Amino acid sequence: MARIPAIRDQVGVDTARWGLLSSSSAAGDLVAIVLITVLIGRVSTRLLALAAASVVLLNAPVLAGAASVPALVLGLTVWGVGATFLATPVNALAVAVERAHGRPLMSGFHACYSVGVLAGGALGTLAAAADIAPGVQMAVSSGVLGALLLLLGAGLPQDAAVEKQQGRPLRNRFTAQLVLLAAIAFLGSFVEGAASQWSSVYTADYLGEGAALGAATYTSFSVAILAGRLLGDRCVARLGRRAFLRVSLLTVAAGVTVIVVHPGVWLAVAGFVVVGLGIACVLPAAIALAGRQPDVPAGEGVSVITIGQWPGFLLAGPAVGLTAGATSLRAALGALVVAGIGAAVLARWVVVPRGD
């Protein structure tokens, strides 16, 4: 993400065309969701995770080094396939580790993801400052990370015997509880996606405070998510997963309410920090619950959450943008209050699996 301007210049497209071409990754996301829905539970979860991670590492230098529109579209599509495909098996493996340790760990794993995002952005910034070509940077990164994958991949949890369920209809995994958790994941992802995409714009443009404070608002939101994930497992252990979900979602609604009711730069920054703290662990909590459903293998349960969350992220940006165009960005962000409260209401019917 940090190297997008350089990759865009390599290919020779303007910002508007880049926005259109970048949607290629969404097509890859959809392909990955279909594939993982079919394969999870039928193929070793560890094998699926290693295969997807390998695709991501091999594709990154190709995507970053793209010099033509067809190469860019292919790279973005394969990126969408690999990254989205990886999410389900690696989260299912995290459920297995959490079970083995007998205590909440999922938020900590997602904190590692946040650290990876921040580290990748920092490395990309340094590489851009040193005028290192994106393709070269990604080749070096993929080489180092690939070596670590070879070294550590064998230590991933081993599946219990993979059930051969070719005859089991896919609809059987869509239990009432998993559909409920998928709906909560959709609303949570909608909030996170909208806040990620519009927090800086709200401060910079709507409040007229300029690009620097806009960037600071987004950064504050991102750091709050990391902090929330670092603290999340302790909170889950104290409150329990259902209560934690409800508290998190009501915190989101409170943060957005501050933003839209009292427009001002410092209240905006504070509000997005509260939103970040609240939304940080909604998805990890939903995944942990989905992976522990009775009579449903962990991978299959997590795959239902993946199906629910993906459209939330995809629709958040355009939905807020279109609403803002018809009304105002402040009014459009009010939809996040409704999403947070709605998800908190749904969380009342979440059943925590026995023994969790």
Side-chain angles (χ1 to χ4, degrees):
M1 296 295 284
R3 302 310 307 272
I4 281 177
I7 298 171
R8 184 190 62 198
D9 293 344
Q10 280 175 183
V11 180
V13 296
D14 58 19
T15 301
R17 197 174 179 203
W18 169 267
L20 179 63
L21 294 172
S22 64
S23 63
S24 304
S25 62
D29 294 339
L30 184 58
V31 170
I33 288 173
V34 173
L35 286 174
I36 199 64
T37 300
V38 172
L39 294 176
I40 198 75
R42 294 166 169 79
V43 179
S44 163
T45 307
R46 182 166 77 172
L47 179 60
L48 292 175
L50 291 172
S54 299
V55 170
V56 169
L57 292 176
L58 291 171
N59 180 67
V62 177
L63 169 57
S68 66
V69 169
L72 176 65
V73 170
L74 178 62
L76 286 168
T77 303
V78 175
W79 175 264
V81 172
T84 302
F85 193 99
L86 177 60
T88 295
V90 80
N91 275 303
L93 293 174
V95 170
V97 174
E98 195 176 58
R99 277 180 166 170
H101 283 260
R103 59 189 176 89
L105 294 171
M106 187 65 70
S107 295
F109 286 126
H110 281 247
C112 293
Y113 173 84
S114 296
V115 170
V117 171
L118 292 172
L123 184 60
T125 301
L126 291 173
D131 201 26
I132 298 172
V136 174
Q137 178 206 332
M138 295 299 172
V140 173
S141 295
S142 287
V144 172
L145 295 173
L148 288 172
L149 186 65
L150 288 172
L151 180 66
L152 303 174
L156 288 172
Q158 185 62 273
D159 296 280
V162 176
E163 298 178 40
K164 303 298 182 182
Q165 302 182 73
Q166 281 80 359
R168 173 177 168 170
L170 292 176
R171 65 177 179 272
N172 285 7
R173 74 180 62 170
F174 292 91
T175 65
Q177 274 295 298
L178 284 173
V179 171
L180 176 66
L181 289 168
I184 293 171
F186 170 85
L187 293 170
S189 297
F190 185 91
V191 170
E192 186 175 346
S196 296
Q197 295 181 52
W198 292 100
S199 55
S200 61
V201 176
Y202 179 77
T203 301
D205 294 348
Y206 182 80
L207 297 179
E209 297 292 342
L213 282 174
T217 304
Y218 170 74
T219 301
S220 300
F221 170 72
S222 301
V223 171
I225 287 181
L226 174 57
R229 288 175 175 171
L230 289 171
L231 297 171
D233 291 325
R234 295 179 185 179
C235 295
V236 170
R238 287 178 177 270
L239 297 175
R241 296 196 198 275
R242 180 171 57 191
F244 176 74
L245 260 179
R246 297 193 69 195
V247 169
S248 296
L249 290 162
L250 291 174
T251 300
V252 168
V256 181
T257 299
V258 169
I259 294 165
V260 299
V261 171
H262 300 288
V265 61
W266 299 117
L267 284 176
V269 173
F272 278 112
V273 166
V274 173
V275 173
L277 290 171
I279 203 63
C281 299
V282 169
L283 188 58
I287 288 171
L289 286 165
R292 302 170 81 95
Q293 293 298 305
D295 303 321
V296 180
E300 293 189 5
V302 174
S303 72
V304 177
I305 301 301
T306 302
I307 293 171
Q309 75 169 102
W310 176 69
F313 277 114
L314 185 67
L315 296 174
V320 171
L322 289 172
T323 307
T327 56
S328 69
L329 183 53
R330 180 183 172 192
L333 290 176
L336 306 189
V337 178
V338 177
I341 293 175
V345 171
L346 291 178
R348 291 184 59 189
W349 288 282
V350 168
V351 177
V352 178
R354 189 176 300 235
D356 187 2

